[in-house]
Each structure stands twice: as C-alpha cells, then as structure tokens.
Amino acid sequence: AARTHPSAHSHSQNPSSTEMSNPISVGDLGVALASRGWKASILDDRDFCKLYKEELVDVDPAGYLKCVDGRASDAKGVQQHGPKMLGGVYGIAVNRGIKTTKELEAICKEVKDAGHVPTVHGDEGGILGCGFCKLWLNDKFADEGMVNESKPKFSADDGAKTVQKAGGVVENHVGKHTEKVVYLNFIDGMTLEPNADDQRFIVDAWAAGKFNLDVPKYCVTAAATVEKLNPGQAPCPWKAVLIVPDDHPDAPKAPACCTIQ
C-alpha cells in the first residue's frame, strides 16, 4: 500500500523490514557525497514525500530485488515493489567481492530466503544494458577508492543464466536514461516505484544493511556508478536525497530539508 506520509512507527511492524546491522552516520555520508561535488540533502520521510510529491510503498513478497535503474521495465504491479539495489543481485555480489557463478547462485538463494525475487537485467541493447553490470565486468571498480573490487570470472550471459537457474528473473528495461537525482532510502522495508516519465535512481540503502553489506562502501559504489556512466561532467550535476525516518539521529530538526553545502 502506498503512503504519502508514512509513519516511522509503522516501519518496525512491516514483516519484511529489518534493523540495519551496520548503521552509518547519514550526515557523514552526505558530507562524503558533497566532497565528490554532489548536492546532498537529508530529509525525513514525511518531508521527502511532501516536498518531492513521492510515495513510499511497502516492500511486497512478490517484489523483484531489482536494479536502481529509473527506466521502465517489464516488471508489473507489485513486482516493482521490491528493494532496489545496484544491478539487482549484482550489488550484493560486488560489495562482497564474489568472483564465481557458484557464489552468485548462493546470493540468489539468500535473496529468496529473505523474501525477495532475485533479478538482474538488460535492455533493448542486450544483457549489458545494465550499466552497473557493464562497469563491473569491464573492471571499472578495481581502482575506485572504498570499492576496490575487480571483475568476476563469469560473463554477463553466464550471470543471467545463473540467476534464472536459481529461480530468479532477468528483467528487461526500455528507453533512455534521464535521471538527474539519486534517492538513498534508509526507511526499512519500504521503496519507491520507478517512473519512466520522471526518472530517478532509487537506492534502497536499508537493504544493504539487511544483507550485512559494507554500507559506506555500498553507497560510495552507487555514487561512483553514476559518475562513471556519465563521465566528464563539470561541475558535477548530480543531486542526492538521503531519506531517513523522522526519529533518526541524522534527521533534520528543522521543518524542511537540511542541505549540506
């Protein structure tokens, strides 16, 4: 169910929610993004929904654990109501530094056991239509500070076949990228629906905690992915909105957003 102004107290009652096992200072993350040239702001969930006219929705058991890609896809209805992670299951894979399809298959089982549908995706151009996957397979994260993960031993085709074999889905995205903002969502058990007419990268950062990932590394990987797929832009055009519960210690105490200069 969609909630324009969700209650922070309702999050803990969501059966798919989890406490982030390795929390970080969202304020420090905002500063880290600002140091890369990003315009970063922190909003509690109510102010975010009000100012951006967005709706946070509960994660659904039928929802795909899908890529943060803001484009339209062949996922329909509640299939769009799964956690959004970099490249789908590849976001978990890169954070953990896996190299083999056997390890990827184990991640898919873990995702299913956690109550989500594991996915990767391509687009009209083929299976490398996922920019995150393409960067990883071309070893573009090996020299990125805080990430430092080299490419796997398998191809994009082999990765997709492994996900399907493990009971997952290979999603297909359509259209061109037009995103100019990244939402980093720390509201447990909630997500946003992609909107092809108003694209934004949706990064459900709470899911990184659910899968016991290195959360600072994961969030830096998200920023690096956007930058590497859009090189040579100066000044940096990117905006990040960090969405936190209203009782989070880093939630702004002012009525509106707290912009990090």
Side-chain angles (χ1 to χ4, degrees), residues 141-161:
F141 294 123
D143 60 353
E144 179 64 39
M146 282 188 69
V147 184
N148 304 120
E149 295 295 351
S150 57
K151 64 183 180 181
K153 296 177 181 178
F154 54 83
S155 67
D157 285 330
D158 288 340
K161 290 174 183 175

Side-chain angles (χ1 to χ4, degrees), residues 3-15:
R3 282 183 251 172
T4 306
H5 304 292
S7 166
H9 300 294
S10 67
H11 303 152
S12 62
Q13 297 171 17
N14 187 321

Side-chain angles (χ1 to χ4, degrees), residues 82-165:
K84 314 300 183 296
M85 301 189 75
L86 302 167
V89 293
Y90 287 150
I92 301 172
V94 171
N95 196 268
R96 293 179 179 170
I98 76 148
K99 296 291 182 285
T100 67
T101 54
K102 184 176 181 180
E103 292 170 302
L104 181 62
E105 185 176 357
I107 287 174
C108 290
K109 182 180 186 303
E110 180 183 356
V111 168
K112 290 172 67 178
D113 289 346
H116 311 299
V117 179
T119 78
V120 293
H121 81 89
D123 64 11
E124 297 115 319
I127 196 60
L128 283 175
C130 174
F132 181 76
C133 173
K134 188 174 182 179
L135 289 172
W136 184 33
L137 267 61
N138 283 286
D139 223 17
K140 298 299 184 181
F141 294 123
D143 60 353
E144 179 64 39
M146 282 188 69
V147 184
N148 304 120
E149 295 295 351
S150 57
K151 64 183 180 181
K153 296 177 181 178
F154 54 83
S155 67
D157 285 330
D158 288 340
K161 290 174 183 175
T162 298
V163 171
Q164 286 183 310
K165 180 183 175 184

Side-chain angles (χ1 to χ4, degrees), residues 229-253:
L229 292 173
N230 300 273
Q233 297 192 46
C236 176
W238 292 101
K239 292 171 54 181
V241 181
L242 288 68
I243 311 158
V244 299
D246 57 11
D247 59 353
H248 190 282
D250 289 316
K253 300 302 182 278

